[in-house]
Amino acid sequence: MLAEERFHEIIRLVNERKTMTVQELTELLDSSESTIRRDLTELHKRHQLVKVHGGATALQMGYTTKDEAVSVRKDMNMEEKQRIAKYAAERIEKNDFVYVDAGTTTGCLIDWICEQGAVFVTNGIVHARTLAEKGYKVFLLGGELKAATEAVVGGETMESLKRYHFTKGFFGTNGVHEEAGFTTPDIHEAFVKEQAMKQCRECYVLADSTKIGKISAVRFGTFHEATVLTTDLQDARWKKYKNIVEVK
């Protein structure tokens, strides 16, 4: 197959499936990994796809480099977020020491929590206030306040997290991808998420179906580091992963 023919097929496959790994393209096009990687680099330069670690994504997937404000995101996909949040809240047990990441889906989680014996730590300003108003014991991490996501971030936040050992952690994300892992636009927020995940015995990533297959700018965890709670998977290939729970 000539190079331009491969380019055409790669673009067709990536646009059709939204994301493709190097291994998948290698098998489908009967080419070597080195050839496919070179092709992806060239197509990325031509702005015909987005090359990512381990593969490529379609341009129309909206590769995100910044967070929308909470006021913009809070009502998006609300029915899905509530279903995910309810299921997540049911995972919290008596005497759990729980980390709750800042974010709109994790904010929905708080509405469904009913286990009075759990203790919470969060970097979300609004999350801390809501938990306290509901009568829970909650600790708010210190650091710099990021206005767009109402999250506390920075070096002080990181150092505070290292003191804790959580039984469970619940995280928001901008993207879930087999190769790129869990991603978010802001590097400072990514650092906090990554450190918090390291401190958790069990990690849950709450992601409505629009986040599946998406990639944002900065990775904070590998795909198999957490159980993904989502809904209504449109692409059957995601159903094969044992760490993805499709909430009905």
Side-chain angles (χ1 to χ4, degrees):
M1 186 182 289
L2 297 175
E4 289 299 328
E5 291 177 320
R6 272 199 322 276
F7 291 170
H8 176 79
E9 279 301 298
I10 289 171
I11 293 167
R12 183 185 67 80
L13 287 164
V14 171
N15 285 337
E16 182 180 287
R17 302 191 186 186
K18 307 306 179 188
T19 65
M20 291 291 291
T21 66
V22 170
Q23 184 178 357
E24 287 171 336
L25 290 168
T26 298
E27 293 172 357
L28 288 170
L29 301 178
D30 194 25
S31 300
S32 67
E33 283 196 15
S34 58
T35 296
I36 294 299
R37 291 183 191 280
R38 284 197 300 270
D39 289 349
L40 295 181
T41 298
E42 177 59 29
L43 291 169
H44 182 88
K45 289 178 182 177
R46 295 184 186 186
H47 304 290
Q48 292 179 293
L49 51 70
V50 177
K51 184 183 179 184
V52 297
H53 177 74
T57 68
L59 289 175
Q60 61 265 37
M61 286 186 63
Y63 184 94
T64 56
T65 56
K66 70 174 185 177
D67 269 317
E68 296 284 0
V70 169
S71 59
V72 174
R73 292 183 291 117
K74 66 179 181 179
D75 294 324
M76 294 173 65
N77 308 305
M78 183 52 68
E79 191 274 335
E80 283 192 72
K81 289 178 180 178
Q82 290 293 343
R83 265 196 286 162
I84 294 166
K86 182 177 184 295
Y87 183 91
E90 291 168 355
R91 313 275 78 78
I92 298 174
E93 301 172 298
K94 186 178 180 181
N95 298 323
D96 267 339
F97 188 40
V98 182
Y99 180 76
V100 182
D101 183 33
T104 56
T105 310
T106 51
C108 293
L109 165 71
I110 296 171
D111 295 336
W112 292 98
I113 295 172
C114 57
E115 178 49 69
Q116 292 294 327
V119 176
F120 299 88
V121 175
T122 183
N123 71 324
I125 296 290
V126 175
H127 292 4
R129 185 183 67 217
T130 305
L131 283 163
E133 288 173 348
K134 291 184 69 173
Y136 293 104
K137 186 172 185 179
V138 56
F139 297 90
L140 176 64
L141 298 174
E144 177 186 353
L145 176 62
K146 181 184 172 187
T149 57
E150 299 174 351
V152 177
V153 298
E156 183 180 342
T157 316
M158 299 279 288
E159 288 304 310
S160 296
L161 278 168
K162 292 176 183 178
R163 302 188 184 103
Y164 296 116
H165 296 280
F166 306 110
T167 57
K168 295 182 176 79
F170 297 89
F171 298 84
T173 188
N174 290 72
V176 176
H177 190 273
E178 312 102 306
E179 298 293 334
F182 306 117
T183 52
T184 190
D186 185 86
I187 191 167
H188 301 293
E189 198 154 348
F191 285 156
V192 172
K193 290 173 183 283
E194 182 178 33
Q195 186 61 55
M197 286 184 77
K198 290 178 181 177
Q199 308 302 125
C200 295
R201 187 186 305 164
E202 297 177 40
C203 294
Y204 295 89
V205 170
L206 282 52
D208 65 73
S209 59
T210 65
K211 309 289 181 61
I212 306 300
K214 295 289 182 69
I215 299 171
S216 195
V218 190
R219 178 166 72 178
F220 63 87
T222 60
F223 177 64
H224 292 288
E225 278 188 85
T227 298
V228 180
L229 306 182
T230 189
T231 59
D232 307 323
L233 290 171
Q234 301 300 314
D235 190 336
R237 70 193 177 94
W238 291 98
K239 297 178 185 289
K240 69 182 180 183
Y241 294 108
K242 294 181 179 179
N243 66 317
I244 291 187
V245 176
E246 190 176 9
V247 180
K248 302 296 184 181

